Amino acid sequence: MMTIDNFNFAGKKAFVRVDFNVPVDENFVITDDTRIRAAMPTLKKILADGGSLIIASHMGRPKKNPDPKYSLKHIVDHVSKTLGVEVKFVDDCNAADEACAALKPGEALLLENLRFYAEEEGKPRGLAEDATDEEKAAAKKAVKASQKEFAKHLASYADCYVNDAFGTAHRAHASTALIADYFDADHKMFGYLMNKEVTAVEKVMSETVRPFTAIMGGSKVSSKIEIIENLLTKVDNLILAGGMTYTFMKAQGGKIGQSICEDDKLDLALELMAKAKANGVNLVLAVDAKVGDGFSNDCNAQFADVMNIPEGWEGMDIGPKTMEKFADVIKASKTILWNGPTGVFEFDNFSNGSRAVAEAIVEATKNGAYSLVGGGDSVACVNKFGLADQVSYVSTGGGALLEAIEGRVLPGIAAIKG
Ligand code: AMP
């Protein structure tokens, strides 16, 4: 597989798929430019080699073309400043032939939002609400057919393809997957960010040093079923925390008061417990909870046995015994994966459990464990606690990371790796 370090971009035009889907305020001012900064090592390496950049990204979920609200023109100046080169803007990503042909070494251009074309995602748009199933199928077939042409056209702009958009690696879109078919193996590669993400996932999921502990938190078991099932075939210890705890407790006959619970998942909880036992996985559940008498930071709070929460109270974080229990398992681990808080960490009074988990992961990491944190709110947790730089890797890709943990092949990765 070609790597960005082994490729000499001198005199070459590189089509670089990045994830510049940054949040902007009502005046289109970027409120968090992490994603732009994250792509800089790749973009700068290509320019430093003497290559030129055709930068492509999506922004938001536009339903039509063009939708000014989602135009990438609003970020061009910021990208120029961050890159240190004046970036040109092409306001139609599917009509950039001349601008790309005119690019000289060291120059860069940014294409307008790829999702202004339905072909990018390969999903039909503008269907009448009362469209029949046949009409829907025909529209889908048509957009799928033109998707390949769209990908081929984007590919024609450049000599090589670099994918640095891990955040969309789980999508089989024109610019994230199909485009790679139009470059041979020596002319397509991951960018630095993508490479870091792929390496991190591999370190955890396939090159695992044991004991391997996964901590799954968050609100609902229903949104994590596939991940938990896949992890039950991989981990030594599975810590289940957060709101899903109470579904497991109720399934075992516990009293959970007003705690969040999915009553239609009680059987599933028991099945997962049986599966863990059958697979020899140490399933680690909470024993106590910090409960509140209302869903707010300032509600009255107390600790309770997790199987015996009083009426009128709800479990909003783990209690001190559980913190210790979780920390002991985490500190004895050599590979750690954390997804999802142990409680309502957004409320300071219910964030201690998530903090304790983060601190245990930091300590294990100092002692040589490899730790990957990612997939949504656990990233916000390590940032809130100022510990992001003390774990091995914090993933930038929410959905993509979760699908990788589910054991799925990500189209954006497969398109390059084969
Ligand atoms: P998820 O998106 O499924 O990873 O869930 C993250 C959310 O779960 C966060 O916003 C937490 O506040 C929430 N959460 C965690 N524990 C609980 C709990 N015990 N009760 C209600 N919400 C919770």
Side-chain angles (χ1 to χ4, degrees), residues 64-273:
K64 56 182 180 171
N65 175 30
D67 186 341
K69 197 171 134 199
Y70 296 113
S71 175
L72 285 169
K73 71 178 178 206
H74 304 297
I75 71 163
V76 187
D77 286 348
H78 194 95
V79 175
S80 298
K81 274 189 208 118
T82 316
L83 189 59
V85 166
E86 194 203 327
V87 176
K88 301 179 173 91
F89 183 66
V90 182
D91 65 6
D92 182 345
C93 67
N94 204 22
D97 306 65
E98 273 178 35
C100 292
L103 263 186
K104 297 196 181 61
E107 292 184 343
L109 63 80
L110 175 68
L111 300 179
E112 179 58 289
N113 193 345
L114 294 159
R115 288 192 188 166
F116 282 0
Y117 281 84
E119 284 79 2
E120 167 63 359
E121 294 177 276
K123 281 192 212 142
R125 280 186 191 157
L127 270 173
E129 276 190 16
D130 57 354
T132 62
D133 286 349
E134 271 172 19
E135 285 166 341
K136 284 183 195 160
K140 195 170 174 191
K141 204 170 157 198
V143 77
K144 280 278 169 207
S146 51
Q147 193 183 25
K148 283 192 185 145
E149 281 310 308
F150 180 69
K152 190 176 175 185
H153 187 212
L154 295 179
S156 73
Y157 297 156
D159 303 303
C160 56
Y161 170 64
V162 180
N163 188 350
D164 213 15
F166 182 71
T168 47
H170 56 317
R171 310 281 186 216
H173 291 172
S175 71
T176 61
L178 276 69
I179 188 173
D181 286 348
Y182 302 99
F183 296 92
D184 65 34
D186 289 339
H187 291 82
K188 56 184 166 191
M189 65 212 89
F190 296 144
Y192 288 118
L193 175 66
M194 184 86 160
N195 204 36
K196 275 200 276 183
E197 297 277 353
V198 173
T199 306
V201 170
E202 281 172 357
K203 262 183 114 75
V204 169
M205 299 303 285
S206 42
E207 297 155 17
T208 323
V209 180
R210 295 189 178 278
F212 174 16
T213 297
I215 307 122
M216 301 300 301
S219 55
K220 292 178 176 173
V221 64
S222 54
S223 60
K224 311 257 158 126
I225 299 171
E226 284 164 38
I227 298 175
I228 293 174
E229 290 199 325
N230 190 42
L231 288 174
L232 284 175
T233 67
K234 307 243 182 239
V235 299
D236 301 292
N237 307 298
L238 179 59
I239 296 177
L240 289 185
M244 73 176 103
T245 307
Y246 309 99
T247 302
F248 282 81
M249 295 307 146
K250 187 164 178 186
Q252 297 174 84
K255 294 197 187 96
I256 60 164
Q258 267 52 59
S259 306
I260 185 172
C261 179
E262 290 173 282
D263 283 319
D264 59 336
K265 295 288 176 289
L266 299 177
D267 288 343
L268 173 80
L270 295 177
E271 275 165 36
L272 292 172
M273 290 177 81

